[in-house]
Amino acid sequence: MPATQIPMSAVDRAWLRMDTPENPMMICGVLTLERRIPMNRLKHTIEERFLRFSRFRQMVVDTGDKTYWQEDPLFDLDNHLHQIALPGRADKAELQKLASDMNSSSLDFRRPLWQMHYIDNYEGGSALLVRIHHCIADGISLVRVMLSLTDKTPDPKPRKIAPRRTSKTNQRSSLQQLLHRAVDNAQTATSQARLFIQSMREEPSYPIKLASTASSVILDLVKLGLAPFEPKTGLKNPLSGRKQVAWADPLDLAEVKACSKALGGTINDVLLCTVTGALQRHFAANKEAVPERGIRVAVPFNLRPLDQPIETLGNKFGLVLVTLPAEVTDPLMCFQQVQENMNRLKRSYQAQVTYSLLDLFGRGPDILERRALELLSNKASAVLTNVPGPKEALYLAGSKVTQPMFWVPQSGNIGIGMSIFSYAGTVQFGITVDKAIHADPNAVMNYFRESFKALNRAALAGRHKSTKLKTG
């Protein structure tokens, strides 16, 4: 009896076909753990909580015209979970080197597209390195899946696990339906965006009429197509396929919140301004002129309902192009420009437009998608994700997760991926850079912290000056 084949959605197929030797389409994560954990307990956790999602037992079957999910008849957890150890007195540099190697290596397309490495001997504890192909789900879904492996206490009570489920696929096919879906998504996008654009102040929703929304969607499509290519800088070079991964010591989330309050903005505004300042310092260190119109980054924008069950995998997000004013050196002026840029994007439908384009490309010929991808990737220098994580510390198989980091893949000719992730009162910042890009990932991590300190000092000084004027 032939195995059941489940059609892959057009959007997921688009991400599958983006996979190249230079940019494997993998979402990667590193969880550092306070202590070592027994391998049998880790296996049990994965079998009980991770493999209940049918997708992780399914392989991709591509017939050329169509692509399917099919149960792997030879599925074996040992093909996906590996135990290794770092040499000697391994520190962060050793773990970053290993993560760089893994980020540079494609997954095995003969099996379900995911892999985990349990890493022993890391700073007295251990780590878990995870790689999952983007065609399975978007970053928000996969972060939620990975966090479902964890508990709030080291020794939790047994919990009831839902039966395995298979992700539903999208059956729509016409261009007209794509536009209608984009219009429908627009009405809910402002509330859903809070999942990616964290800590936004609640704003009263504004009325949207179908006719004006449709015209706005078309206008944003035109704007996206006419947006100029990124200027030639050391951040845009032909890619080698070898990745370098680094992450910074975390920021204190309370400090970031205080800074945003002093500036009258959001946490997201502060963090984007901090990234902008890090890029300024990178250009200065390399004695490279900063482009007059700044640097654009592609930012994933969630289109998934906030209350959607975790079992719903697949990709449900669009991309927006965010301009980072790296040419503005004054921290406060830079912040104001970032804030204005973000407020403008919140009122646009760029995310819905790019999602619908991905759906369209996933249904068309491969050459069409390649050309469109090349066109869009020429309009950004990096991919930047900003995902709010759990507020309290979590435990994996009894061991405390001390630092979690996640990276989404870059696409086309983009060679830089930056990620921001909040966790247990901290803000984590990480980067993956293609070796052909003239950027030192560890230096950028230092620039990020320096940039935040400079913005925080300026914010506090401005607040102090304002207080003196009011009381003078």
mmCIF file of all heavy atoms in Angstrom, residues 14-52:
data_model
loop_
_atom_site.group_PDB
_atom_site.id
_atom_site.type_symbol
_atom_site.label_atom_id
_atom_site.label_comp_id
_atom_site.label_asym_id
_atom_site.label_seq_id
_atom_site.Cartn_x
_atom_site.Cartn_y
_atom_site.Cartn_z
ATOM 1 N N ALA A 14 7.677 27.494 -1.688
ATOM 2 C CA ALA A 14 8.533 28.614 -2.077
ATOM 3 C C ALA A 14 9.801 28.639 -1.226
ATOM 4 O O ALA A 14 10.910 28.813 -1.733
ATOM 5 C CB ALA A 14 7.769 29.935 -1.942
ATOM 6 N N TRP A 15 9.647 28.415 0.097
ATOM 7 C CA TRP A 15 10.813 28.404 0.980
ATOM 8 C C TRP A 15 11.697 27.190 0.706
ATOM 9 O O TRP A 15 12.923 27.264 0.810
ATOM 10 C CB TRP A 15 10.369 28.427 2.444
ATOM 11 C CG TRP A 15 9.890 29.779 2.865
ATOM 12 C CD1 TRP A 15 8.601 30.174 3.086
ATOM 13 C CD2 TRP A 15 10.691 30.948 3.072
ATOM 14 N NE1 TRP A 15 8.556 31.494 3.422
ATOM 15 C CE2 TRP A 15 9.819 31.994 3.422
ATOM 16 C CE3 TRP A 15 12.052 31.199 3.001
ATOM 17 C CZ2 TRP A 15 10.270 33.289 3.703
ATOM 18 C CZ3 TRP A 15 12.523 32.490 3.273
ATOM 19 C CH2 TRP A 15 11.638 33.508 3.627
ATOM 20 N N LEU A 16 11.088 26.059 0.344
ATOM 21 C CA LEU A 16 11.871 24.869 0.007
ATOM 22 C C LEU A 16 12.769 25.152 -1.198
ATOM 23 O O LEU A 16 13.950 24.807 -1.213
ATOM 24 C CB LEU A 16 10.930 23.701 -0.288
ATOM 25 C CG LEU A 16 11.593 22.405 -0.767
ATOM 26 C CD1 LEU A 16 12.353 21.745 0.381
ATOM 27 C CD2 LEU A 16 10.557 21.441 -1.327
ATOM 28 N N ARG A 17 12.212 25.807 -2.207
ATOM 29 C CA ARG A 17 12.954 26.037 -3.435
ATOM 30 C C ARG A 17 13.972 27.167 -3.323
ATOM 31 O O ARG A 17 14.792 27.352 -4.213
ATOM 32 C CB ARG A 17 11.970 26.314 -4.578
ATOM 33 C CG ARG A 17 11.060 25.134 -4.861
ATOM 34 C CD ARG A 17 10.363 25.225 -6.193
ATOM 35 N NE ARG A 17 9.648 26.477 -6.389
ATOM 36 C CZ ARG A 17 8.839 26.700 -7.424
ATOM 37 N NH1 ARG A 17 8.654 25.758 -8.331
ATOM 38 N NH2 ARG A 17 8.215 27.842 -7.541
ATOM 39 N N MET A 18 13.924 27.909 -2.231
ATOM 40 C CA MET A 18 14.929 28.950 -2.009
ATOM 41 C C MET A 18 16.265 28.363 -1.568
ATOM 42 O O MET A 18 17.281 29.055 -1.554
ATOM 43 C CB MET A 18 14.449 29.939 -0.943
ATOM 44 C CG MET A 18 13.387 30.900 -1.410
ATOM 45 S SD MET A 18 13.026 32.074 -0.083
ATOM 46 C CE MET A 18 11.357 32.538 -0.499
ATOM 47 N N ASP A 19 16.273 27.106 -1.153
ATOM 48 C CA ASP A 19 17.481 26.474 -0.619
ATOM 49 C C ASP A 19 18.602 26.482 -1.667
ATOM 50 O O ASP A 19 18.410 26.042 -2.800
ATOM 51 C CB ASP A 19 17.176 25.032 -0.208
ATOM 52 C CG ASP A 19 18.154 24.511 0.822
ATOM 53 O OD1 ASP A 19 19.313 24.242 0.458
ATOM 54 O OD2 ASP A 19 17.755 24.395 1.982
ATOM 55 N N THR A 20 19.771 27.010 -1.293
ATOM 56 C CA THR A 20 20.943 27.015 -2.168
ATOM 57 C C THR A 20 22.162 26.591 -1.359
ATOM 58 O O THR A 20 22.150 26.659 -0.118
ATOM 59 C CB THR A 20 21.211 28.416 -2.756
ATOM 60 O OG1 THR A 20 21.550 29.327 -1.688
ATOM 61 C CG2 THR A 20 19.996 28.940 -3.510
ATOM 62 N N PRO A 21 23.259 26.176 -2.017
ATOM 63 C CA PRO A 21 24.481 25.840 -1.278
ATOM 64 C C PRO A 21 25.013 27.021 -0.470
ATOM 65 O O PRO A 21 25.591 26.842 0.604
ATOM 66 C CB PRO A 21 25.463 25.435 -2.378
ATOM 67 C CG PRO A 21 24.595 24.992 -3.521
ATOM 68 C CD PRO A 21 23.380 25.870 -3.454
ATOM 69 N N GLU A 22 24.806 28.255 -0.987
ATOM 70 C CA GLU A 22 25.299 29.441 -0.275
ATOM 71 C C GLU A 22 24.409 29.812 0.902
ATOM 72 O O GLU A 22 24.885 30.322 1.911
ATOM 73 C CB GLU A 22 25.381 30.642 -1.242
ATOM 74 C CG GLU A 22 26.386 30.486 -2.360
ATOM 75 C CD GLU A 22 25.867 29.618 -3.495
ATOM 76 O OE1 GLU A 22 24.627 29.449 -3.614
ATOM 77 O OE2 GLU A 22 26.693 29.095 -4.264
ATOM 78 N N ASN A 23 23.115 29.555 0.777
ATOM 79 C CA ASN A 23 22.158 29.898 1.827
ATOM 80 C C ASN A 23 21.178 28.755 2.068
ATOM 81 O O ASN A 23 20.060 28.758 1.549
ATOM 82 C CB ASN A 23 21.377 31.168 1.441
ATOM 83 C CG ASN A 23 21.999 32.431 2.000
ATOM 84 O OD1 ASN A 23 22.619 32.410 3.061
ATOM 85 N ND2 ASN A 23 21.819 33.539 1.296
ATOM 86 N N PRO A 24 21.575 27.732 2.848
ATOM 87 C CA PRO A 24 20.616 26.675 3.208
ATOM 88 C C PRO A 24 19.452 27.287 3.998
ATOM 89 O O PRO A 24 19.671 28.102 4.889
ATOM 90 C CB PRO A 24 21.435 25.721 4.084
ATOM 91 C CG PRO A 24 22.864 26.034 3.758
ATOM 92 C CD PRO A 24 22.897 27.489 3.430
ATOM 93 N N MET A 25 18.240 26.893 3.656
ATOM 94 C CA MET A 25 17.060 27.486 4.292
ATOM 95 C C MET A 25 16.743 26.802 5.622
ATOM 96 O O MET A 25 15.720 26.132 5.775
ATOM 97 C CB MET A 25 15.863 27.385 3.351
ATOM 98 C CG MET A 25 15.932 28.308 2.156
ATOM 99 S SD MET A 25 15.781 30.060 2.607
ATOM 100 C CE MET A 25 17.485 30.588 2.480
ATOM 101 N N MET A 26 17.639 26.987 6.590
ATOM 102 C CA MET A 26 17.449 26.361 7.899
ATOM 103 C C MET A 26 17.227 27.416 8.971
ATOM 104 O O MET A 26 17.888 28.458 8.971
ATOM 105 C CB MET A 26 18.687 25.546 8.286
ATOM 106 C CG MET A 26 19.012 24.411 7.372
ATOM 107 S SD MET A 26 20.506 23.534 7.925
ATOM 108 C CE MET A 26 21.745 24.830 7.832
ATOM 109 N N ILE A 27 16.304 27.136 9.857
ATOM 110 C CA ILE A 27 16.184 27.913 11.090
ATOM 111 C C ILE A 27 17.031 27.188 12.121
ATOM 112 O O ILE A 27 16.864 25.993 12.356
ATOM 113 C CB ILE A 27 14.720 28.016 11.533
ATOM 114 C CG1 ILE A 27 13.938 28.838 10.504
ATOM 115 C CG2 ILE A 27 14.610 28.626 12.921
ATOM 116 C CD1 ILE A 27 12.451 28.857 10.718
ATOM 117 N N CYS A 28 17.976 27.906 12.712
ATOM 118 C CA CYS A 28 18.936 27.283 13.633
ATOM 119 C C CYS A 28 18.771 27.862 15.039
ATOM 120 O O CYS A 28 18.451 29.049 15.194
ATOM 121 C CB CYS A 28 20.367 27.525 13.159
ATOM 122 S SG CYS A 28 20.691 26.905 11.500
ATOM 123 N N GLY A 29 18.983 27.025 16.024
ATOM 124 C CA GLY A 29 18.900 27.475 17.409
ATOM 125 C C GLY A 29 19.976 26.829 18.263
ATOM 126 O O GLY A 29 20.413 25.710 17.989
ATOM 127 N N VAL A 30 20.421 27.574 19.268
ATOM 128 C CA VAL A 30 21.361 27.047 20.261
ATOM 129 C C VAL A 30 20.779 27.330 21.639
ATOM 130 O O VAL A 30 20.466 28.482 21.963
ATOM 131 C CB VAL A 30 22.755 27.698 20.145
ATOM 132 C CG1 VAL A 30 23.650 27.241 21.301
ATOM 133 C CG2 VAL A 30 23.402 27.348 18.809
ATOM 134 N N LEU A 31 20.592 26.276 22.428
ATOM 135 C CA LEU A 31 20.156 26.426 23.817
ATOM 136 C C LEU A 31 21.313 26.006 24.713
ATOM 137 O O LEU A 31 21.714 24.839 24.697
ATOM 138 C CB LEU A 31 18.943 25.544 24.112
ATOM 139 C CG LEU A 31 17.703 25.697 23.217
ATOM 140 C CD1 LEU A 31 16.638 24.680 23.637
ATOM 141 C CD2 LEU A 31 17.147 27.097 23.273
ATOM 142 N N THR A 32 21.877 26.939 25.474
ATOM 143 C CA THR A 32 22.920 26.561 26.423
ATOM 144 C C THR A 32 22.247 26.161 27.737
ATOM 145 O O THR A 32 21.266 26.778 28.171
ATOM 146 C CB THR A 32 23.914 27.703 26.660
ATOM 147 O OG1 THR A 32 23.235 28.853 27.190
ATOM 148 C CG2 THR A 32 24.588 28.091 25.356
ATOM 149 N N LEU A 33 22.776 25.097 28.351
ATOM 150 C CA LEU A 33 22.147 24.492 29.527
ATOM 151 C C LEU A 33 23.079 24.539 30.716
ATOM 152 O O LEU A 33 24.301 24.373 30.585
ATOM 153 C CB LEU A 33 21.759 23.047 29.212
ATOM 154 C CG LEU A 33 20.851 22.870 27.978
ATOM 155 C CD1 LEU A 33 20.786 21.405 27.563
ATOM 156 C CD2 LEU A 33 19.470 23.423 28.253
ATOM 157 N N GLU A 34 22.510 24.749 31.881
ATOM 158 C CA GLU A 34 23.290 24.923 33.108
ATOM 159 C C GLU A 34 24.092 23.674 33.466
ATOM 160 O O GLU A 34 25.199 23.761 33.974
ATOM 161 C CB GLU A 34 22.339 25.293 34.250
ATOM 162 C CG GLU A 34 23.025 25.747 35.510
ATOM 163 C CD GLU A 34 22.024 26.264 36.526
ATOM 164 O OE1 GLU A 34 21.109 25.497 36.919
ATOM 165 O OE2 GLU A 34 22.152 27.431 36.922
ATOM 166 N N ARG A 35 23.522 22.517 33.188
ATOM 167 C CA ARG A 35 24.233 21.279 33.516
ATOM 168 C C ARG A 35 23.976 20.220 32.451
ATOM 169 O O ARG A 35 23.175 20.420 31.530
ATOM 170 C CB ARG A 35 23.830 20.764 34.901
ATOM 171 C CG ARG A 35 22.345 20.482 35.078
ATOM 172 C CD ARG A 35 22.051 20.137 36.527
ATOM 173 N NE ARG A 35 20.641 19.880 36.783
ATOM 174 C CZ ARG A 35 20.030 18.726 36.590
ATOM 175 N NH1 ARG A 35 20.712 17.679 36.138
ATOM 176 N NH2 ARG A 35 18.747 18.576 36.872
ATOM 177 N N ARG A 36 24.665 19.108 32.565
ATOM 178 C CA ARG A 36 24.479 18.014 31.619
ATOM 179 C C ARG A 36 23.146 17.319 31.881
ATOM 180 O O ARG A 36 22.638 17.330 33.002
ATOM 181 C CB ARG A 36 25.621 17.012 31.755
ATOM 182 C CG ARG A 36 26.984 17.621 31.450
ATOM 183 C CD ARG A 36 28.114 16.669 31.806
ATOM 184 N NE ARG A 36 29.413 17.256 31.539
ATOM 185 C CZ ARG A 36 30.565 16.692 31.843
ATOM 186 N NH1 ARG A 36 30.573 15.492 32.438
ATOM 187 N NH2 ARG A 36 31.709 17.288 31.566
ATOM 188 N N ILE A 37 22.615 16.708 30.828
ATOM 189 C CA ILE A 37 21.356 15.984 30.983
ATOM 190 C C ILE A 37 21.514 14.566 30.440
ATOM 191 O O ILE A 37 22.270 14.342 29.489
ATOM 192 C CB ILE A 37 20.184 16.703 30.264
ATOM 193 C CG1 ILE A 37 20.508 16.946 28.788
ATOM 194 C CG2 ILE A 37 19.865 18.018 30.941
ATOM 195 C CD1 ILE A 37 19.397 17.648 28.044
ATOM 196 N N PRO A 38 20.840 13.592 31.043
ATOM 197 C CA PRO A 38 20.934 12.217 30.555
ATOM 198 C C PRO A 38 20.357 12.109 29.142
ATOM 199 O O PRO A 38 19.286 12.649 28.849
ATOM 200 C CB PRO A 38 20.088 11.419 31.559
ATOM 201 C CG PRO A 38 19.931 12.313 32.744
ATOM 202 C CD PRO A 38 19.983 13.707 32.228
ATOM 203 N N MET A 39 21.058 11.388 28.284
ATOM 204 C CA MET A 39 20.627 11.270 26.897
ATOM 205 C C MET A 39 19.272 10.566 26.786
ATOM 206 O O MET A 39 18.445 10.932 25.945
ATOM 207 C CB MET A 39 21.686 10.499 26.093
ATOM 208 C CG MET A 39 21.534 10.632 24.599
ATOM 209 S SD MET A 39 21.768 12.331 24.047
ATOM 210 C CE MET A 39 21.605 12.115 22.268
ATOM 211 N N ASN A 40 19.029 9.585 27.648
ATOM 212 C CA ASN A 40 17.752 8.871 27.561
ATOM 213 C C ASN A 40 16.580 9.781 27.932
ATOM 214 O O ASN A 40 15.486 9.672 27.371
ATOM 215 C CB ASN A 40 17.767 7.603 28.422
ATOM 216 C CG ASN A 40 18.025 7.899 29.889
ATOM 217 O OD1 ASN A 40 18.363 9.017 30.261
ATOM 218 N ND2 ASN A 40 17.868 6.888 30.730
ATOM 219 N N ARG A 41 16.811 10.718 28.870
ATOM 220 C CA ARG A 41 15.735 11.651 29.229
ATOM 221 C C ARG A 41 15.484 12.637 28.084
ATOM 222 O O ARG A 41 14.333 12.973 27.793
ATOM 223 C CB ARG A 41 16.092 12.407 30.508
ATOM 224 C CG ARG A 41 14.990 13.363 30.943
ATOM 225 C CD ARG A 41 15.197 13.924 32.325
ATOM 226 N NE ARG A 41 14.136 14.863 32.665
ATOM 227 C CZ ARG A 41 14.049 15.498 33.835
ATOM 228 N NH1 ARG A 41 14.939 15.283 34.788
ATOM 229 N NH2 ARG A 41 13.054 16.349 34.062
ATOM 230 N N LEU A 42 16.548 13.078 27.417
ATOM 231 C CA LEU A 42 16.391 13.977 26.281
ATOM 232 C C LEU A 42 15.622 13.284 25.154
ATOM 233 O O LEU A 42 14.714 13.861 24.544
ATOM 234 C CB LEU A 42 17.756 14.453 25.782
ATOM 235 C CG LEU A 42 17.746 15.362 24.554
ATOM 236 C CD1 LEU A 42 16.947 16.640 24.824
ATOM 237 C CD2 LEU A 42 19.173 15.705 24.127
ATOM 238 N N LYS A 43 15.985 12.033 24.885
ATOM 239 C CA LYS A 43 15.288 11.267 23.843
ATOM 240 C C LYS A 43 13.802 11.126 24.166
ATOM 241 O O LYS A 43 12.947 11.282 23.281
ATOM 242 C CB LYS A 43 15.919 9.878 23.691
ATOM 243 C CG LYS A 43 17.166 9.850 22.849
ATOM 244 C CD LYS A 43 17.595 8.403 22.613
ATOM 245 C CE LYS A 43 18.756 8.319 21.642
ATOM 246 N NZ LYS A 43 19.125 6.923 21.333
ATOM 247 N N HIS A 44 13.513 10.825 25.419
ATOM 248 C CA HIS A 44 12.117 10.661 25.819
ATOM 249 C C HIS A 44 11.348 11.963 25.624
ATOM 250 O O HIS A 44 10.200 11.966 25.138
ATOM 251 C CB HIS A 44 12.041 10.218 27.283
ATOM 252 C CG HIS A 44 10.646 10.089 27.797
ATOM 253 N ND1 HIS A 44 9.808 9.058 27.444
ATOM 254 C CD2 HIS A 44 9.918 10.894 28.631
ATOM 255 C CE1 HIS A 44 8.633 9.213 28.034
ATOM 256 N NE2 HIS A 44 8.677 10.325 28.752
ATOM 257 N N THR A 45 11.973 13.086 25.966
ATOM 258 C CA THR A 45 11.330 14.394 25.804
ATOM 259 C C THR A 45 11.037 14.682 24.338
ATOM 260 O O THR A 45 9.958 15.154 23.974
ATOM 261 C CB THR A 45 12.219 15.504 26.389
ATOM 262 O OG1 THR A 45 12.450 15.254 27.782
ATOM 263 C CG2 THR A 45 11.562 16.875 26.239
ATOM 264 N N ILE A 46 12.002 14.385 23.477
ATOM 265 C CA ILE A 46 11.825 14.627 22.037
ATOM 266 C C ILE A 46 10.736 13.725 21.471
ATOM 267 O O ILE A 46 9.884 14.165 20.693
ATOM 268 C CB ILE A 46 13.165 14.418 21.300
ATOM 269 C CG1 ILE A 46 14.146 15.534 21.696
ATOM 270 C CG2 ILE A 46 12.963 14.401 19.788
ATOM 271 C CD1 ILE A 46 15.551 15.310 21.205
ATOM 272 N N GLU A 47 10.752 12.458 21.853
ATOM 273 C CA GLU A 47 9.732 11.525 21.351
ATOM 274 C C GLU A 47 8.333 11.935 21.803
ATOM 275 O O GLU A 47 7.360 11.848 21.050
ATOM 276 C CB GLU A 47 10.042 10.109 21.834
ATOM 277 C CG GLU A 47 11.245 9.482 21.134
ATOM 278 C CD GLU A 47 11.679 8.178 21.783
ATOM 279 O OE1 GLU A 47 11.222 7.910 22.923
ATOM 280 O OE2 GLU A 47 12.467 7.429 21.176
ATOM 281 N N GLU A 48 8.234 12.393 23.040
ATOM 282 C CA GLU A 48 6.931 12.697 23.623
ATOM 283 C C GLU A 48 6.375 14.033 23.133
ATOM 284 O O GLU A 48 5.176 14.167 22.882
ATOM 285 C CB GLU A 48 7.055 12.728 25.160
ATOM 286 C CG GLU A 48 5.746 12.956 25.884
ATOM 287 C CD GLU A 48 5.944 13.013 27.390
ATOM 288 O OE1 GLU A 48 6.721 13.897 27.842
ATOM 289 O OE2 GLU A 48 5.349 12.203 28.116
ATOM 290 N N ARG A 49 7.245 15.033 22.958
ATOM 291 C CA ARG A 49 6.754 16.387 22.685
ATOM 292 C C ARG A 49 7.064 16.902 21.283
ATOM 293 O O ARG A 49 6.288 17.680 20.737
ATOM 294 C CB ARG A 49 7.341 17.357 23.720
ATOM 295 C CG ARG A 49 7.037 16.967 25.142
ATOM 296 C CD ARG A 49 7.540 18.006 26.114
ATOM 297 N NE ARG A 49 7.480 17.537 27.485
ATOM 298 C CZ ARG A 49 7.873 18.240 28.528
ATOM 299 N NH1 ARG A 49 8.351 19.472 28.346
ATOM 300 N NH2 ARG A 49 7.806 17.741 29.745
ATOM 301 N N PHE A 50 8.181 16.497 20.720
ATOM 302 C CA PHE A 50 8.578 16.993 19.400
ATOM 303 C C PHE A 50 7.987 16.131 18.292
ATOM 304 O O PHE A 50 7.418 16.638 17.326
ATOM 305 C CB PHE A 50 10.111 17.005 19.317
ATOM 306 C CG PHE A 50 10.674 17.678 18.103
ATOM 307 C CD1 PHE A 50 10.718 19.062 18.007
ATOM 308 C CD2 PHE A 50 11.192 16.928 17.051
ATOM 309 C CE1 PHE A 50 11.248 19.687 16.880
ATOM 310 C CE2 PHE A 50 11.722 17.534 15.931
ATOM 311 C CZ PHE A 50 11.756 18.929 15.854
ATOM 312 N N LEU A 51 8.083 14.822 18.463
ATOM 313 C CA LEU A 51 7.634 13.914 17.409
ATOM 314 C C LEU A 51 6.126 13.724 17.391
ATOM 315 O O LEU A 51 5.598 13.014 16.530
ATOM 316 C CB LEU A 51 8.336 12.558 17.537
ATOM 317 C CG LEU A 51 9.843 12.592 17.280
ATOM 318 C CD1 LEU A 51 10.447 11.203 17.405
ATOM 319 C CD2 LEU A 51 10.151 13.190 15.908
ATOM 320 N N ARG A 52 5.404 14.362 18.309
ATOM 321 C CA ARG A 52 3.941 14.320 18.215
ATOM 322 C C ARG A 52 3.466 15.157 17.029
ATOM 323 O O ARG A 52 2.336 15.015 16.575
ATOM 324 C CB ARG A 52 3.304 14.814 19.510
ATOM 325 C CG ARG A 52 3.425 16.307 19.780
ATOM 326 C CD ARG A 52 2.864 16.626 21.171
ATOM 327 N NE ARG A 52 3.020 18.018 21.521
ATOM 328 C CZ ARG A 52 2.067 18.937 21.360
ATOM 329 N NH1 ARG A 52 0.910 18.601 20.821
ATOM 330 N NH2 ARG A 52 2.269 20.187 21.738
#
